[in-house]
Amino acid sequence: MATGVTEKNGKCFIRWYERGKRNSRALDIPYTREGIAKAARIRKKFIENGEQFDRPVPTFGELAQKRLDETRMSPNYRVQTLSCLNNYASQWFDWPVNEITYADLLPLSNLDAEPTYIILILTHIRNVFNLAIKSKWMRDNPAGDLIQEVKRTPKEVDPFTPDERDAILKDLKNGKAGHNKYLFYLIRFYTGMRPGEVIALTWDDYKDGEFRVNKGWTNNNLRPTKTYKERRVPVHPLIQAELKKTPRSLKNRHIILSEAGENFRKCQMFVKAFNRSRKRLRIRHRSPYNVRHTAACVMLDAGMKPGYCASILGHSLQVFFRVYARWIDSDENKVQASLLMSLK
């Protein structure tokens, strides 16, 4: 005998409660010792997953399509979702969604891409699994754990050298990229500001040789800074000289403007210009985000204190030490290493 399993016409008959409602089901399983054990396992599945257990499990592709068809999304987000799923999850479109495991997704964590892009891909995959979980097709989300692991993986800081920086800026200035691209990266290389913060700068933010950074464009929306705090960033003489030559618009107070006199809300155009310049100069591939790391490392190499550098970049001191530990006291480390090598 097993709890909730009885005999009916020589077959197993199960009963269970769900949300205060009594349920029962006749099973085509002989009422034997083995049959009773199997019926008990089936009853347990019904208790855990309800009536969903008795329906065919949909494929990953079917649930992904259902989410696209029945979820309200902006056109841009829909295109992004389609791109990520078609390019990185198409091999599982025909798999029952509950048969995809953490091990199947693991290769995605080793893509040759920035961690933020890997997290973006996994997030779109996770959303499909979330639909499966809410529909009782599965209990755990294999993409969720993988996202946390990618987040915990420290980002490798790979800055550009001063020579590479100067060559890129010269190419942007003298090439066909346009003055706005040159000014954008001049500010970024010498302040370490985030891309969205630079395109959000207005002439009202530039006072007394400082930028007052209190906002940034993110996902086509103007929002406060990442830390929700205003910070003051000293403006390098090279930037000050370039700002004096930059024309101002009576209609638009932004510093970085398009040829049509409109302010930017996204940074894709700047990224493309940067990559074209880097390829022309045959500089080793690195993400344009390393422009920010370049500024931080140059500050540290110049002897600036980590606490002040962190305040300029808008980092907490804890994060700054974790990201740039290799450059902090690097000269002192070399001295200590030389002493170690001289030990007898």
Side-chain angles (χ1 to χ4, degrees):
M1 295 294 294
T3 303
V5 181
T6 57
E7 185 267 343
K8 187 175 183 180
N9 300 324
K11 304 285 186 179
C12 291
F13 190 81
I14 58 174
R15 295 184 175 88
W16 75 96
Y17 281 93
E18 183 182 358
R19 297 176 184 176
K21 179 183 176 182
R22 184 179 304 207
N23 297 278
S24 60
R25 181 67 58 89
L27 303 177
D28 189 22
I29 300 174
Y31 192 71
T32 61
R33 182 185 298 273
E34 293 78 11
I36 292 171
K38 184 177 180 180
R41 291 194 296 271
I42 293 174
R43 177 179 178 271
K44 183 180 178 182
K45 289 287 185 181
F46 273 115
I47 293 172
E48 291 176 351
N49 302 313
E51 294 293 331
Q52 301 284 359
F53 171 71
D54 204 31
R55 298 189 326 190
V57 177
T59 65
F60 181 91
E62 289 171 343
L63 275 186
Q65 189 62 55
K66 187 176 183 65
R67 184 171 184 277
L68 284 167
D69 293 341
E70 300 182 12
T71 303
R72 185 176 298 174
M73 301 179 185
S74 68
N76 288 340
Y77 189 77
R78 183 179 298 276
V79 169
Q80 185 187 88
T81 302
L82 276 170
S83 175
C84 288
L85 294 179
N86 285 332
N87 290 331
Y88 299 100
S90 58
Q91 64 268 38
W92 302 305
F93 281 179
D94 295 330
W95 290 28
V97 68
N98 62 345
E99 292 184 10
I100 303 171
T101 66
Y102 172 90
D104 297 319
L105 300 179
L106 193 57
L108 292 178
S109 65
N110 295 319
L111 289 174
D112 185 17
E114 289 291 306
T116 51
Y117 187 62
I118 296 174
I119 291 171
L120 176 68
I121 295 167
L122 290 171
T123 299
H124 288 296
I125 295 173
R126 180 184 65 183
N127 291 338
V128 178
F129 286 129
N130 282 340
L131 180 58
I133 290 171
K134 290 177 181 178
S135 301
K136 304 291 186 180
W137 300 119
M138 55 195 304
R139 300 180 64 181
D140 300 315
N141 195 320
D145 293 337
L146 195 54
I147 288 174
Q148 294 305 315
E149 289 192 14
V150 174
K151 284 182 177 180
R152 287 192 291 267
T153 303
K155 296 179 182 179
E156 182 179 352
V157 175
D158 191 6
F160 296 90
T161 66
D163 288 342
E164 290 174 331
R165 174 199 64 195
D166 295 343
I168 291 171
L169 288 174
K170 183 179 179 180
D171 185 77
L172 290 171
K173 184 176 184 179
N174 299 330
K176 299 180 181 179
H179 178 263
N180 49 15
K181 316 294 190 309
Y182 168 67
L183 182 58
F184 175 85
Y185 280 106
L186 183 66
I187 294 173
R188 291 207 61 208
F189 266 122
Y190 282 94
T191 65
M193 290 171 59
R194 297 180 178 92
E197 294 172 344
V198 177
I199 60 174
L201 283 174
T202 65
W203 290 107
D204 298 326
D205 299 323
Y206 177 45
K207 293 180 181 179
D208 304 324
E210 292 180 327
F211 286 137
R212 299 185 181 184
V213 184
N214 51 36
K215 58 189 175 298
W217 285 98
T218 305
N219 295 330
N220 213 27
N221 293 306
L222 189 63
R223 297 176 178 174
T225 59
K226 193 173 181 179
T227 57
Y228 291 91
K229 294 179 181 178
E230 179 178 294
R231 67 184 191 276
R232 297 192 178 187
V233 179
V235 178
H236 192 277
L238 286 174
I239 302 174
Q240 293 187 37
E242 199 61 37
L243 289 175
K244 288 180 181 179
K245 296 186 270 183
T246 302
R248 303 192 183 196
S249 170
L250 295 175
K251 296 181 180 179
N252 197 319
R253 295 291 296 165
H254 283 80
I255 293 176
I256 308 289
L257 294 176
S258 69
E259 286 73 12
E262 300 292 333
N263 61 285
F264 294 91
R265 299 188 177 193
K266 296 180 180 180
C267 299
Q268 285 90 333
M269 185 181 297
F270 299 96
V271 173
K272 291 178 180 178
F274 183 89
N275 285 329
R276 283 195 294 265
S277 178
R278 179 188 55 75
K279 290 177 181 178
R280 276 195 301 270
L281 297 167
R282 296 184 179 180
I283 293 175
R284 179 170 57 85
H285 169 72
R286 272 156 286 176
S287 164
Y289 198 80
N290 280 289
V291 170
R292 177 170 163 85
H293 296 321
T294 302
C297 294
V298 169
M299 292 176 193
L300 291 171
D301 287 341
M304 294 172 62
K305 293 183 178 180
Y308 184 63
C309 295
S311 67
I312 290 176
L313 270 73
H315 273 310
S316 68
L317 195 57
Q318 180 183 7
V319 170
F320 189 84
F321 270 100
R322 186 176 71 243
V323 175
Y324 301 106
R326 196 173 129 204
W327 277 265
I328 298 171
D329 293 330
S330 58
D331 291 337
E332 181 62 25
N333 290 341
K334 291 177 183 177
V335 172
Q336 297 300 318
S338 65
L339 292 173
L340 176 64
M341 298 304 292
S342 65
L343 292 176
K344 296 182 180 179

